[in-house]
Amino acid sequence: MADSPEFAPGLAGIPAARSSVCLINGAAGKLQYRGYPVEQLAEHCNYEEVTYLLLFGSLPTRDQLAAFTAELAAERHLKFRIIDVLKQLPESGHPMDALTAAVAVMGMFYAEGDHVADPAFRRLCAVRLVAKLPTVVAAWHRIRRGDNPIEPRSDLGHAANFLYMLEGEEPDELAARIMDAALVLHAEHSMNASTFTCRVTASTLADPYASVASAIGSLAGPLHGGANEVVLEMLRTIPDSTPETVRVWAENKLARKEKIMGFGHRVYKVKDPRADILQTLATQLFDKLGSTPIYATAIELEKQMKELVGHKGIAPNVDFYSGIVYEKLGLDTDNFTPVFAISRVAGWLAHLLEQLEDNRIYRPSQIWTGTADRTVPTIDER
Ligand code: CMC
């Protein structure tokens, strides 16, 4: 049956909520959290400030930020039984699956309140989730290779503490600042697949841990957050960074109708503003630590893609340069998407809080394509 006019595959262009969390102008390449341009937030605010802004609607004062930072730091620790759960998981498993599992069980360990009836408990759940996700990702990174997790430190910022928990070394100032900016850039992006998933689960009044666990599952796919991992693998398959090689590689891929990872976006029809900022951060890192061949390949691919498909509005998205930055910061490739999750949890929770302010369970309709009113035949008649 042909698509009915009311049917929008992928719900493209269909508003799923009224929201004041995030504004995107895809034609102009503009992204704002609560009305503030992401470029200004990445330059002037740390992840804790941006999380406060997303969750509570305004930028914190100095005192509010100090109190919120302390609250987050105090909630970083994981109960040892959650660590025990992680120890039971197969070390070959993907870190996104370990993260989904750990967040789902958190709901059982931190279930002392009613998040629907009690806004203070709802807030506590949000703080706990933002604070504990980096601890889970770092703990799994160590457990799967046979090392003990490292306890979080409360004297470090959110980003620096995450890097510290991975290897037990305090990161230098530039690494911590770049990790922090990357977290700010990924913190929110309006009604994408994982945010929609989070809002749908929250709308059933399931607890915030279940809502965030389902959002993590949704983020994991290669068309969404999982793209940052695949981009690096893809760039490694391009033999060298000369214009001729990259051009032929891209042309062949496009001719086979294969997607080139890290390009294209449902909303942006120009270069994603976050890709520009990440590219600047990559340059800062390379100035200090030396460049990588893969960066030269990425720059050339962006150039060739502009000539080949730029006119169709296909340009680099946030995932194109993020993996290059994370690799230089020493992260394992399969930890790139978990890093996306530890940032995006702030946005998911902002939407969850907004959803619960004026909740109606999500229950869309469908277009029936089957045969109706059939009679069940006996088993011999089938
Ligand atoms: N490479 C080649 N062609 C592309 C690409 C790409 N990356 N993206 C879109 N196109 C083409 C597509 O083939 C189609 O062409 P035509 O009209 O000739 O059939 C047209 O552009 C529209 O594409 P679409 O897949 O219908 O667009 P969509 O809005 O449904 O999908 C997308 C958006 C992001 C899933 C898609 O661009 C894609 O698969 N990109 C690669 C994966 C990726 O980088 N994902 C990260 C997205 S940003 C971060 C996040 O959300 O997590």
Side-chain angles (χ1 to χ4, degrees), residues 242-381:
T242 58
E244 302 71 34
T245 307
V246 177
R247 177 80 169 204
V248 169
W249 179 92
E251 280 174 345
N252 286 341
K253 221 159 152 64
L254 292 170
R256 292 194 299 270
K257 298 239 167 273
E258 285 173 17
K259 289 273 173 70
I260 298 187
M261 290 295 159
F263 282 85
H265 201 278
R266 174 65 60 80
V267 184
Y268 294 118
K269 297 305 160 203
V270 293
K271 186 170 177 182
D272 183 333
R274 300 167 298 171
D276 267 331
I277 305 173
L278 279 162
Q279 201 176 349
T280 308
L281 298 179
T283 313
Q284 288 172 13
L285 263 184
F286 295 147
D287 283 349
K288 184 169 176 199
L289 304 173
S291 192
T292 53
I294 222 148
Y295 184 55
T297 308
I299 299 279
E300 190 54 43
L301 182 58
E302 179 179 350
K303 223 163 103 191
Q304 297 298 335
M305 285 290 280
K306 192 169 183 180
E307 287 175 23
L308 291 167
V309 287
H311 62 280
K312 288 171 82 177
I314 300 171
N317 60 49
V318 68
D319 289 322
F320 192 57
Y321 288 107
S322 62
I324 292 170
V325 171
Y326 295 153
E327 187 187 49
K328 202 70 191 171
L329 286 174
L331 297 179
D332 291 344
T333 310
D334 61 359
N335 269 332
F336 295 175
T337 318
V339 168
F340 194 154
I342 68 177
S343 161
R344 182 57 58 83
V345 67
W348 292 332
L349 289 161
H351 281 271
L352 178 146
L353 296 177
E354 190 175 65
Q355 180 67 32
L356 293 181
E357 285 299 311
D358 185 20
N359 189 49
R360 189 169 189 207
I361 188 169
Y362 277 95
R363 205 320 180 178
S365 60
Q366 61 167 17
I367 293 166
W368 168 251
T369 60
T371 311
D373 303 327
R374 302 164 84 188
T375 303
V376 176
T378 67
I379 197 157
D380 293 327
E381 289 168 341

Side-chain angles (χ1 to χ4, degrees), residues 47-48 68-79 83 106 110 127-136 150-162 164-165:
Y47 180 73
E48 288 90 324
F68 187 60
T69 301
E71 207 181 342
L72 283 172
E75 283 293 342
R76 284 178 186 156
H77 176 77
L78 278 183
K79 285 182 193 272
I83 298 285
M106 265 186 216
Y110 300 103
V127 168
R128 280 177 172 161
L129 277 157
V130 173
K132 291 183 198 307
L133 252 63
T135 315
V136 173
I150 291 172
E151 273 294 307
R153 271 176 48 185
S154 55
D155 59 322
L156 295 175
H158 196 75
N161 174 62
F162 170 62
Y164 164 74
M165 287 188 297

